[in-house]
Amino acid sequence: SFLAKQAIGAYGDYEQLVGGVETLFKDSANNLMNYAKTAYLNQGLSANDYMETATSFSASLLQGLKGDTDKAVEYTNRAITDMSDNANKMGTDISMIQNAYQGFAKQNYMMLDNLKLGYGGTKTEMERLIADASRMTDIQKELGVAVDGSSLSFDNIINAISVMQKSLDITGTTALEASTTIQGSINALKGAWSNLMVGLADDTQNFDALLLNFVNSISTVADNIKPRIITKNILFKKTNTIFI
């Protein structure tokens, strides 16, 4: 059946992605997996999409962090959150943001303007962003990060973007929209559905919890749509009354 094919495909991807996470993050892999499980709410991504994004740039991140896998997990989670927040706030396709970060990991800054933070796609503009962020000491303290104004290491770039997005009120957009907007709650629902498909084919996962996440996501979407339907019905009735 279609459902069985979808579940098997999702689980096949899951197995490969878990292998990549374990290879990169070693003893800290479970910490990243825990973030992946809640990514449908916090980043609007399925666990698979979260892991795929994480493994796409984590080798460069680990190099900058001298192999500290615990730190790398926290940086990775914050970077993916920043990507999602940026995409939601600026209306940019998240794949464009993901591509930009993958470029930064390879010292390619051409896609910096994808983030729409007011900086162009050059090395000089990335240096300007980092220098600007390094002067925002209050925000650094609030986020618990430090920005070196002269470093182009990937971990420092992640910190600088976090600080800049906080200064522009971009931070926290995804988690808020997942519970309060139609589009945000639908993204969370899609992520919960993808996770459920993996759980159908993997008897080691807590299927009841995955099902509950999916049902709760449906309920959130319904709660967000309901006021719009009521409003439209009221307007429709008023319009009819005027014309009658």
Side-chain angles (χ1 to χ4, degrees):
S1 71
F2 172 76
L3 196 63
K5 285 181 181 178
Q6 194 171 359
I8 291 168
Y11 179 62
D13 292 342
Y14 175 83
E15 275 191 314
Q16 284 191 317
L17 290 163
V18 168
V21 167
E22 289 174 344
T23 299
L24 284 164
F25 293 95
K26 299 181 172 57
D27 292 341
S28 306
N30 282 338
N31 295 344
L32 189 97
M33 290 299 302
N34 286 334
Y35 281 128
K37 288 174 184 175
T38 56
Y40 76 99
L41 276 179
N42 297 324
Q43 289 96 0
L45 298 172
S46 68
N48 280 6
D49 287 341
Y50 181 97
M51 288 189 289
E52 185 174 5
T53 304
T55 55
S56 70
F57 61 73
S58 292
S60 296
L61 177 59
L62 280 159
Q63 188 176 3
L65 294 173
K66 297 180 174 58
D68 188 328
T69 53
D70 282 345
K71 260 190 182 180
V73 167
E74 299 307 317
Y75 272 70
T76 297
N77 186 63
R78 178 155 45 81
I80 296 175
T81 302
D82 285 342
M83 291 180 206
S84 299
D85 286 346
N86 188 291
N88 279 304
K89 185 78 170 184
M90 301 303 189
T92 307
D93 190 299
I94 192 167
S95 64
M96 294 179 67
I97 311 298
Q98 291 165 330
N99 289 339
Y101 271 78
Q102 288 166 25
F104 304 155
K106 299 171 185 173
Q107 299 180 324
N108 179 347
Y109 312 110
M110 287 178 63
M111 289 178 281
L112 175 56
D113 55 352
N114 286 2
L115 274 61
K116 299 179 182 176
L117 299 176
Y119 299 86
T122 65
K123 179 182 178 183
T124 302
E125 285 290 89
M126 178 61 85
E127 289 171 340
R128 185 166 72 89
L129 185 154
I130 291 169
D132 289 346
S134 72
R135 290 189 285 270
M136 299 177 184
T137 52
D138 288 348
I139 295 176
Q140 289 178 55
K141 186 176 180 181
E142 184 180 349
L143 294 178
V145 305
V147 178
D148 181 342
S150 61
S151 172
L152 278 169
S153 68
F154 185 46
D155 54 297
N156 195 58
I157 288 172
I158 288 174
N159 283 350
I161 292 172
S162 290
V163 169
M164 191 57 63
Q165 293 202 165
K166 180 68 175 176
S167 75
L168 296 171
D169 291 325
I170 295 171
T171 304
T173 307
T174 308
L176 177 63
E177 289 194 354
S179 60
T180 61
T181 71
I182 293 173
Q183 187 60 49
S185 57
I186 287 174
N187 287 339
L189 176 60
K190 288 177 181 176
W193 171 256
S194 296
N195 294 346
L196 184 63
M197 288 300 97
V198 174
L200 276 174
D202 182 6
D203 57 10
T204 66
Q205 297 204 27
N206 187 337
F207 183 78
D208 289 344
L210 293 173
L211 182 60
L212 182 61
N213 290 343
F214 177 64
V215 171
N216 286 341
S217 296
I218 292 174
S219 178
T220 302
V221 171
D223 287 343
N224 288 327
I225 289 175
K226 201 181 302 178
R228 302 289 182 92
I229 294 173
I230 292 169
T231 301
K232 283 185 178 180
N233 284 340
I234 291 170
L235 288 171
F236 180 73
K237 287 176 182 177
K238 283 184 177 179
T239 304
N240 275 352
T241 302
I242 290 169
F243 283 109
I244 290 168

